[in-house]
Amino acid sequence: MKVKLILALFVFTAFSGYSQKFDNLAQTPPMGWNSWNKFACDVSEDLIMGMADAMVSSGMMDAGYEYVVIDDCWQVGRDQNGEIIVDKERFPHGIKYLADYIHAKGLKFGIYSCAGSKTCAGRPGGFGHEYQDARTYAGWGVDYLKYDWCNTTTQDSRSSYTNMSDALRTAGRPIVFSICEWGSTKPWEWAKEVGHLWRTTGDILDRWDAMIGIVDKQRDLAEYAGPGHWNDPDMLEIGNGGMTTEEYKTHFSMWCMMAAPLMAGNDLADMSDDTKEILMNSELITIDQDPLGKQASCYRDNGDYEIWGRALENDGKAICLLNRSDEDKEVQVNFTSLLKTSDNYWYTYPYKLQDYKVRDLWEHKELKTDKNIIMVKMPPHSVKVYRFIKK
Ligand code: GLA
């Protein structure tokens, strides 16, 4: 009887694709910094330590940014036992030294590898070394693993990522598992039990059209996000110079509306006041980190003008007006209908405007809503973000 039970369990485990990632991690979207968008392969011990220092001194850590993640290019080969070899020129004291340094600051440490035989930059990948690498990462004190999808030839995405997830689990150290297969095989449909976040698109570029194109691809994905399992529309480009301040505000606002992971991708040691104001807008970060974890949906699409909304804890709500056009726009804002609009119960939302305070999350002020309807001027590519807080 016992043998039959064990056999049944084995068969179930082997053929159901069953996997159990680490629970209770990433209960809100992960926040941190990643080296790729700004530094690509130009990573080193000095750079990463400098970014950890800057994360603290700039106030980013206090604002909630936590993970310092080295992306591609820290690895150069494998030894005769298959153990990964770190680039000694760039990381002379090895990776554990760096992890210890970052942990001593109260931050967490992340690293990158790839499900294929090589990473996207052609460095050794994890294929065939999953359990060995997971042990190595756990030994180094890794808290977050981004796992890419280059050079995977005929590999199956779900089983490849499940394999690495199981390997992490076996290694025993709780590690946030960030799946990076660019949405190719709809990870939102299968990755909830496998990882804590999954990329939904190809790589972001530091340009308005690329960024807003990514927003468009998140439209139908709201239902798949929640505590411990997030859609990842890629890392932030704020502060890298390719968009206007208004566009970067839109980028940040939409990522917060979408409950996206907030991984800064700029040089933290050299931030303008505008960049700091955007990345450390605590009122928007609170939206992103709302414990309900409800990703925003697009309530209204008037072509180049959209309204996005998401539910917040305590019967609250965040609304984002988005002017996508290249022109100034004057829009009519009807607070009652914004409050009542919802994807679940259209115009039957049970609360009244007088039950709410309304805050403008870029102006950082409470609005007078005695006039239910106001006209708002919006520059090109800009947003207005309102938070309805129940009194
Ligand atoms: C892929 C990923 C990027 C980055 C690079 C590194 O393109 O999507 O985010 O990690 O690989 O080579």
Side-chain angles (χ1 to χ4, degrees), residues 43 70-76 84-88 91 95 111-113 123 137 140:
V43 285
I70 320 178
D71 206 282
D72 210 345
C73 301
W74 56 269
Q75 64 288 68
V76 286
I84 195 80
I85 302 173
V86 177
D87 184 336
K88 286 226 170 58
F91 297 91
I95 302 292
I111 208 162
Y112 162 102
S113 187
R123 303 304 175 94
Y137 300 152
W140 284 343

Side-chain angles (χ1 to χ4, degrees), residues 229-243:
H229 51 99
W230 308 102
N231 291 308
D232 174 9
D234 207 358
M235 303 169 296
L236 302 169
E237 290 284 9
I238 295 147
N240 284 336
M243 291 186 241

Side-chain angles (χ1 to χ4, degrees), residues 18 34 51 77 112 163 174 263 295 320:
Y18 173 84
N34 173 299
M51 288 303 125
Y112 162 102
N163 194 20
M263 301 301 269
Q295 178 175 331
C320 180

Side-chain angles (χ1 to χ4, degrees), residues 17-145:
Y18 173 84
S19 147
Q20 193 59 66
K21 68 181 187 188
F22 281 103
D23 281 334
N24 299 320
L25 294 177
Q27 292 300 293
T28 59
M31 294 175 65
W33 175 86
N34 173 299
S35 52
W36 185 255
N37 282 357
K38 172 73 183 175
F39 298 100
C41 266
D42 197 11
V43 285
S44 66
E45 179 180 292
D46 283 348
L47 176 87
I48 304 297
M49 286 165 75
M51 288 303 125
D53 294 345
M55 196 176 249
V56 178
S57 61
S58 63
M60 290 282 283
M61 179 182 174
D62 287 342
Y65 295 86
E66 189 179 21
Y67 293 95
V68 176
V69 183
I70 320 178
D71 206 282
D72 210 345
C73 301
W74 56 269
Q75 64 288 68
V76 286
R78 289 198 181 269
D79 68 13
Q80 69 273 26
N81 299 319
E83 297 292 346
I84 195 80
I85 302 173
V86 177
D87 184 336
K88 286 226 170 58
E89 309 243 302
R90 286 174 172 264
F91 297 91
H93 298 93
I95 302 292
K96 182 163 190 319
Y97 172 84
L98 205 47
D100 290 347
Y101 183 86
I102 288 166
H103 287 148
K105 293 185 170 291
L107 295 165
K108 291 189 171 149
F109 174 63
I111 208 162
Y112 162 102
S113 187
C114 181
S117 54
K118 287 192 167 142
T119 70
C120 295
R123 303 304 175 94
F127 184 67
H129 296 274
E130 294 82 359
Y131 280 73
Q132 185 173 29
D133 285 350
R135 258 198 319 274
T136 303
Y137 300 152
W140 284 343
V142 167
D143 305 297
Y144 181 109
L145 174 66

Side-chain angles (χ1 to χ4, degrees), residues 312-370:
L312 302 173
E313 66 171 347
N314 303 325
D315 298 322
K317 195 167 193 184
I319 291 284
C320 180
L321 316 179
L322 169 61
N323 176 13
R324 303 170 58 120
S325 79
D326 302 336
E327 316 283 327
D328 285 331
K329 249 185 202 306
E330 191 164 30
V331 299
Q332 191 192 65
V333 175
N334 179 330
F335 288 110
T336 296
S337 66
L338 286 182
L339 176 65
K340 289 199 175 282
T341 306
S342 137
D343 43 351
N344 292 330
Y345 20 86
W346 181 256
Y347 283 113
T348 58
Y349 198 63
Y351 300 107
K352 298 193 174 70
L353 188 57
Q354 61 261 36
D355 299 335
Y356 283 83
K357 292 193 292 191
V358 182
R359 282 188 68 78
D360 181 319
L361 303 191
W362 283 110
E363 300 287 328
H364 300 294
K365 65 178 191 208
E366 195 175 325
L367 300 178
K368 288 205 177 78
T369 50
D370 45 342

